[in-house]
Structures are given as structure tokens and as C-alpha cells.
Amino acid sequence: MGIPKVKLAWVEERKRRATVCQRRMKELIQMAEELTIVCDTSACLVFYNRNNGKLVGWPSLEEAQSLIDCYNALPETERNMNADDEESSFIKTITKEIEKKLELSRKAVEELKMDNLMLQIKNGSRMIADLSQTEIEKLKSYASKKIAYYDRELRKQHPNTSGNEPFLEDDDGEMKTYEGESSESDGADNP
């Protein structure tokens, strides 16, 4: 079970209020010290007690004043650069997530278009000669990415094979040729 949530309210009793103040200040100083160590950053805390008029600074009043002076010396644009409120920070995070999902959706749509185009060419409903230059370039890019992807997948499944070994080989080590292919042109139909 976690630490019960403390209600924030004015502590009426003076001694108890001083004790709570000292304990909370000590906790804040400990957290600030841990933050400076873990994140390798500079930090300072300044507390002002209205009851006795004391000013308490961590790590010291001089170091706190020096850090505050460095901050005040920055141009206002730099000072406010990281001063995001919770709402705008939340909105920025959600916006980035939506932009990533949108980009993935665009890629998926483009892949589906290319798959559909390849299927149309295979079925004969579209001819390569009928494609625009843009469609041909997109198809070439998509095909080369797919080949590279499947090549990586094959290497994962068969890590002991080198990239120079042919996939289609007879038992006697000869490359197989299929109808419409020529052994002289490495399978291409060029004259």
C-alpha cells in the first residue's frame, strides 16, 4: 500500500508547523541534491520564512544567488524556452504520437497501393507500358525495399549462408533455367 495522500492545509499549531516546514525543506533539498547528481545539472533552492524573516538557500545563499544571476542574464526567449506548462507539454506529447501514427498509416497506404499495382500487373489488368514515370519509380523503390527486407529475413532464418550463394541450383551445381529465360543472360529476356 502506498503512502497516504496528505491534505494540504494550514497547520494551526506553531511548533508542529515549524516541524513540518523543516521536514519538507529537508526532503526538497534531498531531492534537489539527487537531481543534480543524477542529471549532472545545477540547481538551487531558496526558502523564506515569513515568521522569523530568515532566508535559507541550498547549497548556499551565495551559490543560489550566482545561479539565479546566470538565469537572469539569459535572454528572455531562452529563459522561457523550457518553461512549458503541463497542458502544452501534454498536447505536444499527444501531437507527436498522432504524427507518428499518421506517418505509419501513410506508409501502410502507400504499401497497399504498390501491392495493388503489382497485383494488377500480374493479372494483366494493367501493363507496365501504361504506368506513369512516377508509378514506375515508386514501384522500383518499393520492390527494392521488399527484396532487401526478404533478404534480411532469409539471412536471419539461414545465418550460415553467404549472400553470394544462388538460391536456385540443381544437385549438380548448375543454375536452373526456366521457360523464357536464357542461361547466357542470367535469366533476363534481353537479346
Side-chain angles (χ1 to χ4, degrees):
M1 189 162 109
I3 300 171
K5 194 167 186 173
V6 178
K7 290 183 181 178
L8 294 177
W10 172 259
V11 179
E12 295 289 332
E13 189 182 334
R14 191 177 58 79
K15 272 189 160 186
R16 187 164 168 259
R17 185 172 53 244
T19 305
V20 168
C21 182
Q22 288 297 319
R23 188 185 78 236
R24 293 278 179 105
M25 283 173 44
K26 190 176 181 180
E27 289 170 359
L28 280 173
I29 289 171
Q30 183 180 1
M31 289 194 309
E33 191 171 19
E34 289 173 4
L35 182 67
T36 59
I37 293 169
V38 171
C39 298
D40 190 29
T41 187
S42 300
C44 69
L45 296 173
V46 178
F47 302 99
Y48 176 72
N49 189 333
R50 288 182 294 195
N51 293 334
N52 59 14
K54 284 187 178 178
L55 190 65
V56 177
W58 174 86
S60 69
L61 283 176
E62 293 80 24
E63 289 181 58
Q65 184 62 50
S66 172
L67 195 56
I68 292 169
D69 290 342
C70 287
Y71 174 77
N72 288 332
L74 291 172
E76 191 164 337
T77 54
E78 286 187 45
R79 276 191 262 163
N80 297 329
M81 191 177 343
N82 295 324
D84 290 336
D85 59 343
E86 283 184 36
E87 185 177 340
S88 68
S89 178
F90 174 74
I91 291 171
K92 285 178 184 178
T93 303
I94 296 299
T95 303
K96 284 181 183 177
E97 289 174 7
I98 291 172
E99 286 173 350
K100 285 180 185 177
K101 288 180 182 179
L102 181 62
E103 184 61 30
L104 289 174
S105 296
R106 285 183 178 146
K107 286 180 182 179
V109 166
E110 194 62 32
E111 283 186 17
L112 287 172
K113 285 180 181 178
M114 290 297 107
D115 283 340
N116 187 31
L117 183 59
M118 290 174 81
L119 186 62
Q120 288 174 354
I121 292 170
K122 181 182 176 191
N123 292 338
S125 61
R126 296 252 341 238
M127 302 303 285
I128 293 179
D130 298 336
L131 299 179
S132 70
Q133 187 65 33
T134 306
E135 287 176 317
I136 291 172
E137 292 301 321
K138 285 182 178 180
L139 195 58
K140 282 173 47 179
S141 173
Y142 177 69
S144 65
K145 287 177 185 176
K146 278 293 194 185
I147 290 169
Y149 168 77
Y150 286 123
D151 188 47
R152 283 191 306 271
E153 290 300 309
L154 282 171
R155 291 183 197 288
K156 285 181 191 175
Q157 293 175 5
H158 305 285
N160 295 332
T161 60
S162 71
N164 299 331
E165 296 177 17
F167 289 107
L168 303 173
E169 237 180 44
D170 278 339
D171 293 336
D172 60 354
E174 295 286 323
M175 287 293 294
K176 293 181 186 177
T177 55
Y178 293 96
E179 186 178 327
E181 291 182 339
S182 156
S183 60
E184 290 85 30
S185 63
D186 294 322
D189 292 332
N190 298 335

